[in-house]
Each structure stands twice: as C-alpha cells, then as structure tokens.
Amino acid sequence: MQSLSVVILAAGQGKRMKSALPKVLHDVAGKPMLSHVIDRANALSPQIITIVYGHAGEAVRAAFAHNNTLTWTEQSPQLGTGHAVLQAMSGAARTTDVTLVLYGDVPLVSVATLKTLVDDAATNKLAWLTMNVSNPKGLGRIVRDTNGRVREIVEDKDANDEQRKITEINTGFLACPTAWLARWLPMLGRNNAQGEYYLTDILKLAVDEGLTVDTHSPQHEWEITGVNSRDQLAALERTYQMEIAKNLMEAGVTLRDPSRIDVRGTLVCGEDVVIDINCIFEGSVALGQGVLIGAQCILRDCQIGEGTRILPFTMIDSATIGMNARIGPYARIRPGSTLADDVHIGNFVEVKASAIGDGSKANHLSYIGDTTVGKNVNVGAGTITCNYDGANKHRTVIEDNVHIGSDVQLVAPVTVHAGATVAAGTTIWKDVPANTLALNEKTQLAKTGWQRPKKPEKK
C-alpha cells in the first residue's frame, strides 16, 4: 500500500471577507471550512497531514488544538503556493510515496475525487484536477498541444488573449510521487506577474522531463469552488444544502421547500419523513420512518422514533424520543432527556435531564427538570419541578399512573408514588404515598367593603 502525505494550504488572509476571523475558520454547514478539508483528508488514511498556516495562524491552530494528529508549518513570508508546499516538505512528509495538495478554503471536494488523484499518482504519474467551466475569468488555464496532451498551466494574469479563451481551468488540486515534488519545488522561479512561486509550474517541469501528466475532473463544479468573500460563502452554503436536500428526497424524504433546510452535521432519515420549512439540524440527527418535523424546528444530536410528530417552533437538544410521540409546538427538550413511546409534550413545556415513560403527558406551560416520570402520568398546566436549591440539583420521581393537577410545585428531592393524585395549586415538599390525594388545606375568604388601590390622578 502506498503511503500518503496530505498538504493543506491555509495561509491566506482573505481580505475580501472583511473579518477578524481567518478565512478558513468561517463555517460551511456548521463547521469551519478547514475542518471539512481535514475530514476529507482523513478519509484517505494518510500517514501525515500538514497544514500550512500564515495569516492569524495562531487562531487557526487554536481552533484545532484538540486534534493532535495534525502537523503545522508556518509560511512567512507568503510567497505563493509553490513556496507554501515547500515549507511542508520536510521530515515525515518527505518519506511518503505520494503527496496530495488540498486547499483550506475549498471545503467540499469529494473523497471519491481525491482518491482518483491519489490512486493515479501511485502509478508514477502527476495527477491534476481540471475542469471545463463556462466562466474561466481569473483562473489558470490548462494549455494542451494539438494531440491533447497537457503542456503547461498559464495563470490568468500571465495569459495572452488566445489562452484566455481556454475554458479548461486549473483547480489547484494535485497528487504526485513525493520524490518528484521534493525535486521540483526548489527549482521554481518567480518570473511572473505576481512575483510568486507558482505550484502550477511543476506541471511544465514534469512535461519537460517527459513524465506522464494525467488530468481528472470532479463530478460537480461545486467541489472545486473556493471562498474569497461573504457572498461566495453564502452561495456555497446554499449549494451544499441543496445537494443535501436532493439526497434526502432521493431517499424518500418529503421537503416542503428544499431551499429552506439547513443540515449542519449528519441527518439520517427513514422513509416517508416530512420536513417543513426553515428547520435546522445540527450534529448527528436520526429520524425514524414517518416522522413529521414542523416548521421552524431546531434539532441537535437527537434520535426521534418512527411516527413521532415534532410540531412547529420546537427545539430538541441531545435527547432521545420514542415512537408515536407528539412534541410541541413551542416545546424545548434539553440535553440528557429520554422520552418513551406515545409521550405528549405540549406548548411551552421545557424538559431537562429527565426520563418520561410511555404514554405520559405534559401538555401546557410546565418545567420538568431532573425528573423521572413513570408511565401514563398526566402533568397539569403550570407544573414546576423545583430542582435547584441555589447550590445543588435534586431529583424528582413521579411513579406510574400519577395525576398532577395544574399549578403544582414539586420541591425536590421528592417522590410521588404510583397512582397518587396531586390537587391543583399544591406545593409538594414531602413524599406522597401511593393511591392518595395530596393537597394543601386552605381557606378562601371574601371580604366585603374592600377597595382596590388606585393610582393617583396625574396633574
């Protein structure tokens, strides 16, 4: 098996972004562009990934401080792409068989496209990614001879009028034997309009040595689309989201409007899932068969069982929900919560770090936190589990078949045993025995002659 080194160029300043944040740290689909590129590199099982950083480089490194598998090389001063790759060609990178060059601001190139380059380079060829585009302005052109063989790459600023008519452009992605790259990089010159060391000049060196140069094209143009401005970032985001939407629909998902969905992670759906407009899916989300997601919902790191309905304006974060449940509208399910089958959580109900058993319901205006709820429990409107004493969290236990009336406060730690009923307006601070009625005794008075206070008249 050929050993692989990946070099990712991420030193650009990105002036057109007009941002203090380094360009490669701007998000596409919920994570930095550079993170997308690293993920694709890792999918190829390389021996080493070297990231060449420059502008605001410490911020870039800090963003990936959790990843100790990366090698970092600073490019200072920044003298072009050839100079950048030269900085990376040291140590372990030189011992590999093949080197692949990627770009931190071109985040969506597919693994399949990159594998094609790497596999070709492993047969002692210079493999280059090119593409015919309708508007090649500003891009390097692929110059071929009359037999169709690649001769050189000419940058737009250095091209003549005839060369600017060429529509086949250089994407910058390449793979070749590492020994060849190590030999060529010190040979590059700066005799060009930019006064930089162009990585593209190695193609001419390969041709002059009589070596084989193969070109490949990606399946989609968006794979080679880079980001230099906010509008390009937004356009690439929507292109990517539309691609996700297309794949979801091909898998049997109904999207009410494919242009209004955002997947910022992974979304796995069973058949006949229906997703309404303006929903956001973050992290890892799985929706079972026949799930309905209403408009304006946000789901993060959660699993939803088949047949469940998530009604509009609901947020679910790091939770598991069973089958045939009904959640929302305007509900919030917070981290650490597990809702079983046939659970109903209604409007303006918040559930946090709680387990709710089969068939239980909390339909209106309630807070259930740090609570274990059994089966077939009814939680009335305005119920609050008072789980925090100002220093520590305490747990409430509500056993099976309990009925809790409206406007009840359960002061944890406390247990309401099976079959008990808690009357409306009751504060519970002691355990309630099974099959009893719990209430706070009180007297209702009606005072005659009482006058409601009035505000003084304005002068």
Side-chain angles (χ1 to χ4, degrees), residues 72-96:
W72 296 86
T73 297
E74 184 177 11
Q75 184 190 18
S76 181
Q78 295 172 30
L79 301 176
T81 52
H83 177 256
V85 177
L86 181 62
Q87 309 312 300
M89 294 298 294
S90 60
R94 282 183 176 267
T95 67
T96 58

Side-chain angles (χ1 to χ4, degrees), residues 136 139-143 152-169:
L139 303 171
R141 309 304 204 277
I142 303 298
V143 179
E152 62 179 327
I153 297 174
V154 179
E155 297 300 323
D156 187 72
K157 292 181 179 180
D158 301 308
N160 58 39
D161 290 342
E162 195 64 28
Q163 290 168 335
R164 288 196 178 98
K165 295 178 182 177
I166 298 171
T167 60
E168 186 181 12
I169 58 96

Side-chain angles (χ1 to χ4, degrees), residues 231-432:
D231 62 329
Q232 290 177 349
L233 182 67
L236 189 62
E237 175 77 37
R238 192 42 43 198
T239 297
Y240 187 49
Q241 294 298 339
M242 286 298 293
E243 188 68 17
I244 292 173
K246 183 183 76 173
N247 292 337
L248 288 170
M249 290 186 289
E250 288 176 352
V253 176
T254 295
L255 301 178
R256 296 301 186 198
D257 184 347
S259 68
R260 289 189 284 176
I261 182 174
D262 284 273
V263 179
R264 302 168 185 172
T266 59
L267 173 60
V268 178
C269 298
E271 292 182 355
D272 297 316
V273 166
V274 177
I275 299 174
D276 211 329
I277 63 170
N278 296 335
C279 292
I280 299 173
F281 301 91
E282 300 180 340
S284 177
V285 177
L287 308 179
Q289 184 173 347
V291 166
L292 169 67
I293 308 294
Q296 311 284 352
C297 291
I298 301 174
L299 278 66
R300 177 188 300 123
D301 290 322
C302 57
Q303 295 79 46
I304 312 297
E306 65 179 62
T308 287
R309 297 164 57 87
I310 310 297
L311 301 182
F313 297 95
T314 292
M315 182 172 184
I316 301 174
D317 185 0
S318 303
T320 300
I321 297 174
M323 298 186 296
N324 301 313
R326 188 182 71 203
I327 313 298
Y330 296 97
R332 185 182 180 194
I333 313 299
R334 291 173 57 189
S337 295
T338 301
L339 281 57
D341 298 342
D342 299 301
V343 167
H344 289 188
I345 300 295
N347 47 288
F348 303 105
V349 174
E350 180 178 355
V351 179
K352 172 253 178 186
S354 296
I356 300 180
D358 292 345
S360 291
K361 302 175 182 180
N363 280 325
H364 317 281
L365 303 160
S366 295
Y367 172 70
I368 301 172
D370 297 283
T371 300
T372 301
V373 178
K375 298 177 181 179
N376 301 314
V377 170
N378 182 81
V379 177
T383 294
I384 299 172
T385 57
C386 306
N387 57 328
Y388 184 51
D389 64 8
N392 300 296
K393 299 288 180 69
H394 301 280
R395 197 152 193 91
T396 297
V397 177
I398 303 171
E399 295 183 346
D400 296 349
N401 301 307
V402 166
H403 180 94
I404 296 178
S406 299
D407 193 29
V408 167
Q409 298 83 47
L410 297 149
V411 183
V414 70
T415 297
V416 181
H417 288 281
T421 298
V422 179
T426 300
T427 299
I428 298 295
W429 66 92
K430 296 187 292 185
D431 289 358
V432 177

